[in-house]
Amino acid sequence: MYEKFIKRILDFCLALLLLVLFSPLILFVALLLKLTQKSVIFTQERPGLNEKIFKIYKFKTMSDERDEKGELLPDELRLKSFGKIIRTLSLDELLQLFNVLKGDMSFVGPRPLLCEYLSLYNEEQKLRHRVRPGITGWAQVNGRNDISWKRKFELDVYYVKNISFCLDVKILFLTAFKVLKRSGVNKQGCVTTEKFNGKN
């Protein structure tokens, strides 16, 4: 009952409430991004529930600077100081409230990853797509980007098999604590997560 009906109702109501409460902050961040790097919103296709593809929304934290060959500069050079602050505080995820409102995502669930990873999952890892992807999840409060892909998927599958109201509440509280501590945002020495190759 919770997984099929109640969770979606709670997601919709909470997303609507938070969008109203955070609208000044969302507008403030959007304005600063517009002034500092012109581009504001980052969109990308991601697989969701039952591997259905949707567009995820984020605040854009990296510039589109390119070298003389027209290729994008390394991530660490495109991530400016304001972008680092937004990412560290997880403010780049605020726009995903619209994804939750639309029903593409939930507040809690496995993070939506790149479409190119779909063919790399084993049968156990594919279970992560039995539920809506989340803004936060069990893997995010148990290491986030400081743990291996193998461990992340193990935690994602654990969540799918043990989904409950109490587990969701626990994850939300732990997420708030992690954000305040600013822990696990990136692996040491990296500004973005290394790509999954089916083995790591």
Side-chain angles (χ1 to χ4, degrees), residues 64-131:
D64 294 319
E65 294 175 273
R66 298 175 182 270
D67 59 21
E68 61 276 3
K69 297 179 181 178
E71 297 179 354
L72 286 172
L73 293 175
D75 292 342
E76 59 270 17
L77 296 179
R78 293 189 294 122
L79 184 63
K80 306 302 182 183
S81 55
F82 184 58
K84 288 179 183 178
I85 294 171
I86 291 176
R87 185 171 290 197
T88 301
L89 296 175
S90 297
L91 295 178
D92 56 322
E93 315 286 358
L94 276 175
L95 293 185
Q96 285 163 47
L97 290 172
F98 289 104
N99 287 119
V100 176
L101 203 63
K102 289 171 58 184
D104 298 326
M105 295 176 64
S106 174
F107 276 96
V108 180
R111 283 295 295 165
L113 303 175
L114 298 177
C115 293
E116 64 191 72
Y117 296 166
L118 285 173
S119 62
L120 302 177
Y121 298 142
N122 60 38
E123 291 305 311
E124 182 78 358
Q125 292 166 348
K126 287 180 181 179
L127 294 178
R128 68 193 314 278
H129 292 292
R130 284 192 179 178
V131 299

Side-chain angles (χ1 to χ4, degrees), residues 117 120-122 125 153 195-200:
Y117 296 166
L120 302 177
Y121 298 142
N122 60 38
Q125 292 166 348
F153 292 138
K195 285 195 171 186
F196 176 59
N197 59 23
K199 301 175 182 178
N200 54 346

